[in-house]
Amino acid sequence: MSWERVSWLAHTGLPIQDPITSDQLDTVVARGALTPDDLAVDLGCGAGELLARIVDLRGCRGLGIDISELAIDHARRRAPEIEWRVADARDHGVANDAAAVVACVGATHAFGGLTPALAALVPIVRPGGTIIVGEGYWRAPPPDGWLATLGASRDELTDRDALLAEVTAAGVRVDHVVDASPADLDSYNRAWRANLEEHLRAHPDDDEVRAALDHADAWHRECSRYLGFALVVAVKD
Ligand SMILES: C[S@@+](CC[C@H](N)C(=O)[O-])C[C@H]1O[C@@H](n2cnc3c(N)ncnc32)[C@H](O)[C@@H]1O
């Protein structure tokens, strides 16, 4: 299955590819003081909405990197003034202490997980700068049956406390956290499925999308009981 294609269809009209609402995103964007000379970097930026909002609000410079051409194509149309690159996030080329903000939202897997992602992000943020990490966590211990339906293993995520401890262990101070509520998660999943259902009405033979929707129908059912998602804003003191 081309997961990239299905994911783009599923996220039509959603601000970001995670269950964080547009208003929550703005509370994160509003934090920290940036000047026009400052650099904000988003690694695994997707369609670039977070970075575009930071640059819009602050007038600072931006660099967004994603491995998906489709994502960068959307980002370029959203904010042509920003530098967007199709590349592996690990090849960011940003010098140590060069960025005032570094974000990696829903994309820590690009580095092999949260801890290696933080090890890559923290050095390139200047002292006093900000790291924004978006990561899932277990809201409640997931049962084996649901995990099997999802196709995931328990050790892929931690609980929320362990997530925050992992961020702190990277040598930064957690300053602000926004959590997607269970209702936010349900609403995100509903929108995701509605986009695929709409696509299937127009393209009933698209078996790839039908398979993705069938899978989502099964694991979305109890998703908000077990899965959480947070945007963690941390400062490098
Ligand atoms: C769940 S999406 C999140 C996108 C965006 N940060 C957001 O919140 O809307 C994960 C993104 O990571 C990107 N990605 C995955 N592996 C990557 C890699 N090695 N380097 C750069 N981007 C990668 C995907 O293409 C995708 O756009």
Side-chain angles (χ1 to χ4, degrees), residues 25-109:
L25 204 59
D26 280 337
T27 69
V28 168
V29 168
R31 298 186 81 82
L34 295 179
T35 70
D37 286 337
D38 284 331
L39 174 67
V41 178
D42 191 345
L43 301 174
C45 60
E49 187 61 24
L50 172 64
L51 184 59
R53 289 190 193 191
I54 291 173
V55 170
D56 274 353
L57 187 72
R58 308 297 187 165
C60 63
R61 296 176 297 132
L63 168 64
I65 297 179
D66 200 285
I67 206 152
S68 158
E69 278 189 33
L70 208 50
I72 293 300
D73 190 47
H74 275 74
R76 284 201 178 110
R77 276 184 273 126
R78 164 67 176 86
E81 72 280 16
I82 292 176
E83 181 183 349
W84 304 103
R85 272 192 227 150
V86 178
D88 192 303
R90 290 167 296 186
D91 301 329
H92 53 72
V94 179
N96 283 355
D97 293 347
V101 176
V102 179
C104 182
V105 177
T108 57
H109 57 281

Side-chain angles (χ1 to χ4, degrees), residues 204-222:
D205 296 335
D206 193 333
D207 294 338
E208 196 172 67
V209 168
R210 190 169 299 284
L213 186 57
D214 287 347
H215 182 232
D217 274 337
W219 76 268
H220 280 185
R221 216 165 289 146
E222 290 191 283

